[in-house]
Amino acid sequence: MEFPFDVDALLPERITVLDQHLRPPARRPGTTTPARVDLQQQIMTIVDELGKASAKAQHLPAPITSASRMQSNRHVIYVLKDTSARPAGKGAIVGFLKVGYKKLFVLDDREAHNEVEPLCILDFYIHESLQRHGHGRELFQYMLQKERVEPHQLAIDRPSQKLLKFLNKHYNLETTVPQVNNFVIFEGFFAHQHRPPAPSLRASRLSRTTAAEPTPTAPARKLPPKRAEGDIKPYSSSDREFLKVAVEPPWPLNRAPRRATPTAHPPPRSSSLGSSPERGPLRPFVPEQELLRSLRLCPPHPTARLLLATDPGGSPAQRRRTSSLPRSEESRY
């Protein structure tokens, strides 16, 4: 890839490492130094153009590598330039490799979740006209030596078929461990971890939870304080006035004299419901002879007429049969 500025002077080394600050590398002695702001702007232009070319080659809807993304993440980009190509003495860019550490949850060969933070291959691009010339292997091998990692310890984010063939050809990475996310890891990724045998995913998850957080003891249950007996109401907070007022019986029972003498010993109070509701004094029992004498001497009450009208046995035919009896037999009842 060619640019309108001098790439060879901007990037003095064949492979230049750029971090999130995108600062220009140290200048070689004897070269002119332009304004530092202009140099940083040129580096940002290179990163943006490389990201667009990589997205186009991978058929992505948007670039995943740009100067703004680099400045907002702690990633590292390795830029490879072509020292032999000197169109107009400005040099050219061959490709780039972006890596970064990410915290991931990956599955091992026993389907157990593992929280790891490996070095991830985030973007890899070599110009189409310079592929199959050894530039990709040179750039990848330089990154492995710089980061001090092995190829099987890497996690690749959405690798293309070209990248998978590249890793299989140069590093014998063929067998992958299935994952539920977009990252791909190869067999041997967990080789450096000494893990106890885990029979199942649920058992390993339970053991990790138990080791991290011990089971807390159940707190003692506190009961509410018992209220005083006088504060407890037998039914509800509303006043039940109809329990305190005695119902007036119909005539002639209401003519019996009332007993005004209170009881000497009130009924015992309940220990759980408090005092019983107050009721009016009961009237004494009226003998049958006195009741019949009152019924014969007094005129019928409207209430009695209503009871006779509603009583099934008080039909006119029944009253006629009763009235035909002699007076002596009628007085028995």
Side-chain angles (χ1 to χ4, degrees), residues 251-252 290-300:
W251 182 92
E290 183 179 352
L291 176 60
L292 294 176
R293 189 182 303 108
S294 301
L295 290 175
R296 288 195 302 269
L297 296 178
C298 299

Side-chain angles (χ1 to χ4, degrees), residues 28-96:
R28 289 179 294 184
T31 56
T32 58
T33 305
R36 196 171 186 86
V37 178
D38 297 339
L39 294 179
Q40 189 174 14
Q41 186 63 38
Q42 293 176 2
I43 290 178
M44 295 175 65
T45 302
I46 292 176
V47 173
D48 289 337
E49 293 300 325
L50 289 175
K52 293 177 183 179
S54 177
K56 183 179 179 180
Q58 300 181 54
H59 305 285
L60 299 178
I64 58 176
T65 300
S66 62
S68 59
R69 288 177 176 267
M70 285 291 299
Q71 291 176 344
S72 59
N73 297 279
R74 302 182 62 180
H75 299 159
V76 177
I77 184 172
Y78 292 82
V79 181
L80 174 64
K81 75 172 184 178
D82 188 5
T83 56
S84 60
R86 292 180 176 273
K90 295 181 180 181
I93 299 296
V94 177
F96 76 101

